[in-house]
Amino acid sequence: MQETMRATSAGRARRRPRTFGVDRVCAHADCDTKLSRYNSATHCFTHAPAKFRRLRGEFTSEYLTRQS
């Protein structure tokens, strides 16, 4: 009968980070920026398409008058 317990260290239980290939460059025509293997994007920060946050709630009358 065994009276000791065995376990793996916490470091081994973690999974590896996802990778997206090596030696990738920005998809913009004149850009040679190298992308990280851990970056899923196809463009560098400078050439990435703009992302707009979702607005929640109601618009104020002041905001609506400025938009029209």
Side-chain angles (χ1 to χ4, degrees), residues 42-56:
T42 56
H43 291 84
C44 66
F45 180 79
T46 305
H47 298 111
K51 293 181 182 177
F52 299 99
R53 297 180 66 149
R54 181 175 169 216
L55 297 175
R56 296 177 185 236

Side-chain angles (χ1 to χ4, degrees), residues 21-37 39-49:
V22 294
D23 297 329
R24 295 182 311 126
V25 294
C26 177
H28 191 267
D30 298 327
C31 184
D32 296 327
T33 302
K34 185 176 177 183
L35 300 174
S36 168
R37 72 172 63 189
N39 181 359
S40 63
T42 56
H43 291 84
C44 66
F45 180 79
T46 305
H47 298 111

Side-chain angles (χ1 to χ4, degrees), residues 1 4 8 10-14 16 24 27 30 32 35-36 38 44 46 48 52-54 58 61 63 66 68:
M1 179 174 183
T4 60
T8 59
R12 294 183 184 177
R14 292 186 225 144
R16 293 179 181 259
R24 295 182 311 126
D30 298 327
D32 296 327
L35 300 174
S36 168
Y38 305 108
C44 66
T46 305
F52 299 99
R53 297 180 66 149
R54 181 175 169 216
E58 298 178 12
S61 57
Y63 177 82
R66 282 189 282 149
S68 48

